[in-house]
């Protein structure tokens, strides 16, 4: 049921405008405006306004793309997103490098996708199982090769270059490249968002990782407990954000904004004597 607060407040304000000089009989010391203001205050205090929580991230419709595989290890699959060790950071080997159209200059870092081999009975594994992968790297274009013969990650192709162990769960290696279906899905994470602080006393970098919900981050703000007010950080590259505001000597809070327009605020996640190179845990998206 809609709250009656708005129409009631509107009526009282119209009365205040229409009768600016009227006197309240019950309290002669108050003008008409003052009496109405008191009434509005009491009304707003007595009526409970329900919170409007933004809906959780939902899977997107299925789309078509292609996938190849590449060799490497847990320390190399984080490349363009600046994940130092995808296995140690909880992403496992289910990672993917995205073509430029999907990578979006690093904004897609941390986004989760469900992918499955499609329409290729010769190479697809029986049952066409689907897997969840996290975007951790960029598959750069190769303009010297045609889009349909080697230039798999050229614009405007939507392409996933996945870790070899992942590809083998979808199709046979010999296929080389396979058609797939994919969709965005919520990221399921253990624990809170992690903040790794790097830099020096004059320049600060914060790697934001282990983000649940939408997974990809579009904005980060930082606040201290003393002089530093809420300050918008800039994306340096991938999951790394930067600022020249002085953070040293303050207990830091972070506000992370995801692509689904939801925010997660982590209050006082660091002590005042935090150290460069250390990782601190905050609040995750539910």
């Amino acid at each position: 049921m809609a709250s009656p607060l708005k129409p009631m407040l509107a009526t009282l304000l119209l009365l205040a405008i229409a009768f600016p000089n009227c006197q309240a009989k019950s309290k002669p010391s108050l003008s008409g405006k003052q009496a109405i203001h008191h009434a509005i205050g009491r009304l707003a205090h007595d009526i409970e306004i329900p919170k409007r929580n933004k809906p959780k991230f939902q899977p997107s419709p299925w789309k078509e793309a292609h996938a190849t595989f590449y060799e490497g290890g847990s320390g190399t699959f984080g490349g363009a997103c600046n994940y130092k060790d995808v296995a140690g950071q909880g992403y496992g080997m289910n990672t993917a490098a995205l073509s430029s159209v999907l990578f979006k200059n690093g904004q897609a870092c941390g986004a989760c996708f469900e992918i499955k081999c499609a329409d290729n009975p010769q190479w697809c594994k029986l049952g066409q199982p689907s897997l969840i992968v996290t975007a951790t790297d960029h598959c750069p274009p190769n303009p010297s090769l045609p889009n349909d013969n080697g230039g798999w990650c050229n614009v405007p192709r939507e392409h996933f270059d996945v870790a070899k162990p992942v590809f083998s769960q979808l199709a046979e290696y010999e296929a080389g490249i396979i058609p797939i279906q994919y969709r965005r899905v919520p990221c399921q994470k253990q624990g809170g968002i992690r903040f790794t602080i790097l830099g020096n006393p004059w320049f600060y970098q914060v790697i934001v990782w282990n983000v649940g919900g939408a997974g990809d981050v579009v904005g980060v703000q930082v606040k201290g407990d003393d002089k530093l007010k809420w300050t918008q950080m800039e994306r340096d590259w991938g999951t790394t954000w930067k600022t020249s505001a002085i953070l040293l000597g303050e207990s830091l809070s972070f506000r992370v904004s995801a692509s689904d327009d939801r925010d997660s605020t982590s209050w006082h996640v660091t002590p005042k004597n935090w150290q460069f190179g250390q990782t601190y845990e905050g609040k995750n998206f539910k």
Side-chain angles (χ1 to χ4, degrees):
M1 181 180 293
S3 171
L5 178 59
K6 287 186 178 180
M8 293 177 72
L9 291 177
T11 301
L12 290 171
L13 290 173
L14 286 173
L15 287 171
I17 296 170
F19 305 102
N21 298 317
C22 68
Q23 298 294 321
K25 293 181 180 179
S26 59
K27 291 185 178 180
S29 60
L30 294 177
S31 70
K33 279 186 178 181
Q34 289 174 321
I36 290 173
H37 290 165
H38 277 270
I40 291 174
R42 290 195 301 271
L43 183 62
H45 181 269
D46 293 340
I47 295 178
E48 181 179 352
I49 302 176
K51 293 182 179 180
R52 294 184 177 180
N53 293 324
K54 294 179 181 178
K56 295 181 179 181
F57 186 81
Q58 298 296 319
S60 67
W62 288 97
K63 298 181 68 176
E64 296 182 350
H66 287 81
T68 49
F69 66 87
Y70 67 108
E71 306 276 358
S74 63
T76 61
F77 288 159
C81 290
N82 201 23
Y83 294 116
K84 301 303 182 184
D85 181 350
V86 293
Q89 291 176 287
Y91 297 100
M93 303 301 284
N94 282 22
T95 63
L98 307 184
S99 60
S100 297
V101 171
L102 295 173
F103 190 67
K104 300 177 182 178
N105 293 321
Q107 181 180 314
C109 291
C112 296
F113 297 85
E114 183 178 6
I115 62 174
K116 58 183 179 181
C117 186
D119 301 324
N120 195 331
Q122 179 182 0
W123 300 115
C124 292
K125 291 292 180 72
L126 292 177
Q128 295 185 342
S130 66
L131 296 172
I132 307 298
V133 297
T134 303
T136 61
D137 205 350
H138 178 218
C139 180
N142 187 349
S144 64
L145 295 176
N147 288 10
D148 59 352
N149 187 18
W152 309 125
C153 292
N154 290 350
V155 177
R157 291 181 64 94
E158 296 185 358
H159 190 88
F160 291 75
D161 199 22
V162 300
K164 189 174 181 180
V166 176
F167 191 92
S168 65
Q169 298 178 58
L170 298 172
E172 302 295 339
Y173 289 138
E174 291 79 7
I177 181 171
I178 56 172
I180 63 168
Q181 291 182 330
Y182 78 94
R183 63 175 180 171
R184 285 282 303 275
V185 293
C187 297
Q188 305 295 330
K189 301 300 178 185
Q190 297 293 323
I193 297 175
R194 307 301 206 278
F195 303 92
T196 302
I197 306 177
L198 306 173
N200 56 58
W202 301 276
F203 179 76
Y204 302 82
Q205 293 176 308
V206 179
I207 304 176
V208 182
W209 53 281
N210 199 56
V211 181
D216 52 344
V217 176
V218 298
V220 177
Q221 297 178 61
V222 60
K223 180 184 181 302
D225 65 338
D226 187 13
K227 297 180 180 179
L228 182 66
K229 308 303 180 184
W230 280 114
T231 300
Q232 184 70 49
M233 303 186 75
E234 299 178 25
R235 191 190 300 275
D236 194 2
W237 57 290
T239 58
T240 303
W241 297 77
K242 65 181 180 180
T243 183
S244 56
I246 303 302
L247 308 185
L248 273 179
E250 302 213 30
S251 173
L252 302 178
S253 301
F254 293 95
R255 179 169 293 148
V256 176
S257 300
S259 64
D260 60 350
D261 201 30
R262 296 175 69 210
D263 297 328
S264 178
T265 302
S266 301
W267 293 98
H268 309 298
V269 296
T270 76
K272 284 181 173 290
N273 61 341
W274 60 265
Q275 300 294 316
F276 288 106
Q278 296 297 307
T279 297
Y280 302 91
E281 182 174 354
K283 176 185 175 184
N284 219 327
F285 291 94
K286 296 182 178 179

